[in-house]
Amino acid sequence: MSIFVDKNTRLVVQGITGKEGQFHTRHCISYGTQVVAGVTPGKGGQKMDDVPVFNTVADSVDKAGANCSLIFVPPPFAADAIMEAADAGVDLIVAITEGIPVMDMLKVKNYLKSKPCRLIGPNCPGIITPGQCKVGIMPGPIHKPGGPIGVVSRSGTLTYEVVHQLTQKGIGQTTCIGIGGDPVNGTNFIDCLEAFEADDETRGVVMVGEIGGDAEEKAAEFISARMSKPVVGFIAGLTAPPGRRMGHAGAIISGSSGTAQGKIDSMKAGGIHVCENLGSLGDLCAEVFK
Amino acid sequence: MKIHEYQAKELFRNFGVPVPEGSVAFSPEEAAAAADKLGGFPVVVKAQIHAGGRGKGGGVKLAKSRKEVSSLAGEIIGMNLVTHQTGPSGQKVRKVLVEQGLDIAKELYLSILPDRATATHVIMASEAGGMDIETVAAETPEKIIKVFVDPLLGLQAYQCRQVGFGLNLPPAALKPFFKLLTGLYKLFAQYDCSLVEINPLVLTADDNVLALDAKLDVDSNALYRHRDIQEYRDIDEEDPLEYEASKHNLNYINLQGAGNIGNMVNGAGLAMATMDIIKLAGAEPANFLDVGGGANAEMVENGFRIILGDENVKGILINIFGGILRCDVLAQGVVEAAKKTGLNVPVVVRMEGTNVEEGRKILAESGLNLITAVDLKDAAAKIAEIAGNA
């Protein structure tokens, strides 16, 4: 078991002929992901390695049976690419692109309300079900297949760090999801926690947050009210100054809201095992999930 | 990106949002000439810096004569203005806005910003204008009106009425207020603003509404489609090292504090967590620096230069999670960059990921002052020891 992606996922890569698109498509394929199509408008009929390229996402769905899209389209065109994928009827859209204007994402998010699909990202590393399917840019080999722990995070390399520590301790992962560092994103912590709670194979979750917004506070309420599985949490940005965007567009303390301490307090109150020192996260997980 | 009040007011005028008459001046003479154009006193002389709290800091003054305008402008231009937003070092004032004085009946608050939780545009308004809105929200939340606008539909007339009646405006001021709000919303949406704020919005004795102050931030990710806003960039308002970093596409933030440990990390979340772990180990981080998920030798070299540009830095911690980017390639980059920049402080390198053993070997054999750490805890302990000896 796993959540959102597995060995049956049939992937189309939007922006497959670009430098990033080519590079990461090859890594997804070598990990074992079924990449059934690519899309680059105007390059329909060509091939990227052995992957057929189409002009539109709709064609990739009709002709290659794609049900999940991975987006490497540059920021000015990325919102359009997400809406195209949703309109074409894929079930899952994973947007890697960093730097999409907030106004565009507000429109996309409202547009998606009427579509039966899930968006992960943007500005994220993607999603991986170790040993089955990698839809993203994360390094495959640091993961350990077979579960029993789910990982959900707003970050990229920080997620790799967490996964690496789990693997070093011999703790495998069911699915690892980067939900992205932008202020307006698709799938949120609660969506993932709910899915992990319902997944038979997942026995616990590691949740990695950071400063900005109140997604961690809301997740803490959800965990306290609705989750039976143990959750280990980590929040980055205790030393971040207020009013500054810390690399991620969404990582900003506004006035007195969105602070790391506030999130840590909410998470502790929600019964989450909060790790205060990233260096000890693996140890804490080994203890909580034993 | 932040812009100045006088620039925001230029945009306000273009969108039919009434503002007081006035113009910007770079010298006392220009300020006096600007006052002449207003045709009467009093006039207000306002320091133009990218920070709030200017009035409390002594950067906003009322002048009753031409002579007073030039003497006040002379005091303000060149002063180091310290406000709660500038930090203790303050910000040097290089220009003032000279504006007509108004007959104010009431001060209100109005802002529009994207709301990340509801994915809408939220209009916030309050009768408690002229005060810090965070304080109003904390102490008297019932005094804040919030109206959520669907980004696909835009602002509707009934929503203007919700705000206008909510503010208890006199009937004669409603129509001018609806026009102002409509213009402000158009500006907000068209220019990808992350905030437009009028505090105070004033109701005059003759039932007019005007933006006495103007604050406008534009989403940096959307600047590619707003060339005119790019022209508004004022490098004098930026930290010189942060400006240098931005030219190399590096995410660098100078923490302007007591920190003496520079750090360079790939990825924003890991960079924040690295700052935190430096602090937990008993040392103080000097900066945030994210060289991006796919760091290369050139970026590491630029990163070194920028970190070393901060003279407080006594040691550097490099924390790289080499995923698809191999650690041996990275180590090679670090060694080259260290040689080129003539590194003169100790550097602790913590690498993890693909080919990490080869990477560590390259660092160890480089003959440079590069200390290898095996994991995060080890890295933090080693850098704290350096800080302790510095």
Side-chain angles (χ1 to χ4, degrees), chain A residues 23 76 99 101-104 106 110 137 155 157 161 164 183 237-239 244-245 250 255-256 276-277 280 283, chain B residues 116 119 121 134 151 188 192 219 221 224-225 242 253 266-267 269-270 275-277 280 323-324 350 352 376-377:
Chain A
F23 180 83
V102 171
M103 289 291 176
D104 291 4
L106 289 175
N110 284 282
I137 61 173
S155 180
T157 49
E161 172 74 38
H164 175 75
L238 266 173
T239 52
R244 303 297 308 264
R245 271 178 216 284
S256 56
E276 308 231 358
N277 186 330
S280 318
D283 296 332
Chain B
R116 53 201 285 178
H121 303 151
E134 275 251 328
F188 166 80
D192 285 281
D219 179 1
N221 287 335
Y224 72 89
R225 55 191 178 202
E242 289 182 12
I253 290 174
N266 64 334
L270 191 59
M275 281 164 45
D276 297 348
I277 209 167
L280 278 171
I324 284 163
R350 185 271 177 159
E352 198 48 76
L376 265 181
K377 270 193 213 161

Side-chain angles (χ1 to χ4, degrees), chain B residues 36-85:
Chain B
D36 290 341
K37 284 190 281 180
L38 298 175
F41 291 92
V43 304
V44 187
V45 184
K46 306 178 84 175
Q48 297 295 289
I49 59 166
H50 284 183
R54 291 168 297 163
K56 277 184 200 142
V60 180
K61 298 269 159 94
L62 196 69
K64 295 184 190 71
S65 67
R66 189 178 201 275
K67 205 175 148 205
E68 215 180 343
V69 170
S70 55
S71 75
L72 286 173
E75 281 169 30
I76 295 173
I77 295 171
M79 84 184 280
N80 204 46
L81 186 52
V82 180
T83 81
H84 67 288
Q85 287 184 0

Side-chain angles (χ1 to χ4, degrees), chain B residues 77-150:
Chain B
I77 295 171
M79 84 184 280
N80 204 46
L81 186 52
V82 180
T83 81
H84 67 288
Q85 287 184 0
T86 59
S89 50
Q91 176 64 39
K92 192 177 175 194
V93 181
R94 290 179 167 82
K95 50 203 164 235
V96 291
L97 175 62
V98 181
E99 276 188 345
Q100 66 178 150
L102 297 174
D103 189 1
I104 298 168
K106 193 173 179 184
E107 296 194 343
L108 309 162
Y109 173 91
L110 181 65
S111 68
I112 314 177
L113 62 159
D115 184 51
R116 53 201 285 178
T118 59
T120 59
H121 303 151
V122 60
I123 297 172
M124 296 215 293
S126 175
E127 283 188 78
M131 298 162 62
D132 177 28
I133 197 66
E134 275 251 328
T135 314
V136 179
E139 289 167 9
T140 48
E142 70 281 1
K143 286 190 181 161
I144 296 180
I145 305 157
K146 281 188 183 181
V147 172
F148 298 91
V149 180
D150 184 327

Side-chain angles (χ1 to χ4, degrees), chain A:
Chain A
M1 286 285 282
S2 57
I3 68 169
F4 307 147
V5 294
D6 58 27
K7 56 185 188 309
N8 300 315
T9 298
R10 295 175 63 82
L11 189 66
V12 52
V13 179
Q14 288 176 258
I16 194 169
T17 55
K19 193 178 151 218
E20 295 274 296
Q22 287 190 24
F23 180 83
H24 291 292
T25 300
R26 286 175 184 140
H27 278 275
C28 289
I29 292 170
S30 68
Y31 195 76
T33 309
Q34 291 189 64
V35 181
V36 298
V39 169
T40 298
K43 294 195 176 171
Q46 299 182 10
K47 283 198 163 180
M48 200 297 285
D49 295 346
D50 289 328
V51 182
V53 179
F54 298 93
N55 286 322
T56 65
V57 183
D59 281 350
S60 77
V61 171
D62 289 347
K63 294 170 185 155
N67 60 12
C68 173
S69 169
L70 176 61
I71 296 179
F72 289 102
V73 173
F77 318 107
D80 177 69
I82 296 170
M83 290 189 282
E84 182 188 354
D87 188 58
V90 300
D91 303 322
L92 180 68
I93 303 166
V94 180
I96 304 299
T97 311
E98 175 173 6
I100 304 178
V102 171
M103 289 291 176
D104 291 4
M105 277 314 299
L106 289 175
K107 286 180 182 157
V108 166
K109 180 115 183 164
N110 284 282
Y111 172 84
L112 291 181
K113 279 182 187 165
S114 61
K115 303 282 175 189
C117 67
R118 167 179 301 285
L119 169 68
I120 293 177
N123 188 11
C124 78
I127 173 169
I128 182 168
T129 290
Q132 294 192 38
C133 173
K134 169 173 120 98
V135 181
I137 61 173
M138 65 291 278
I142 61 169
H143 299 82
K144 180 174 157 55
I149 299 304
V151 177
V152 56
S153 167
R154 275 169 69 187
S155 180
T157 49
L158 178 54
T159 319
Y160 311 161
E161 172 74 38
V162 168
V163 168
H164 175 75
Q165 288 192 29
L166 287 173
T167 299
Q168 293 294 100
K169 291 278 170 193
I171 304 169
Q173 305 93 39
T174 46
T175 300
C176 304
I177 309 159
I179 59 173
D182 273 4
V184 180
N185 58 2
T187 298
N188 61 24
F189 279 123
I190 295 175
D191 299 325
C192 298
L193 291 166
E194 207 167 17
F196 280 132
E197 176 71 11
D199 176 46
D200 291 341
E201 204 194 24
T202 300
R203 296 216 315 267
V205 179
V206 180
M207 170 185 155
V208 182
E210 62 190 29
I211 56 163
D214 63 354
E216 291 83 359
E217 287 86 338
K218 286 182 177 156
E221 283 172 28
F222 174 86
I223 290 165
S224 152
R226 305 267 303 277
M227 272 192 85
S228 63
K229 298 175 182 177
V231 179
V232 169
F234 177 79
I235 300 289
L238 266 173
T239 52
R244 303 297 308 264
R245 271 178 216 284
M246 305 302 284
H248 287 155
I252 180 166
I253 298 169
S254 316
S256 56
S257 71
T259 64
Q261 195 58 54
K263 290 172 188 295
I264 289 170
D265 294 346
S266 302
M267 286 165 75
K268 282 184 176 165
I272 297 164
H273 304 269
V274 178
C275 171
E276 308 231 358
N277 186 330
L278 182 60
S280 318
L281 191 117
D283 296 332
L284 179 64
C285 289
E287 194 189 312
V288 173
F289 300 137
K290 70 172 178 272

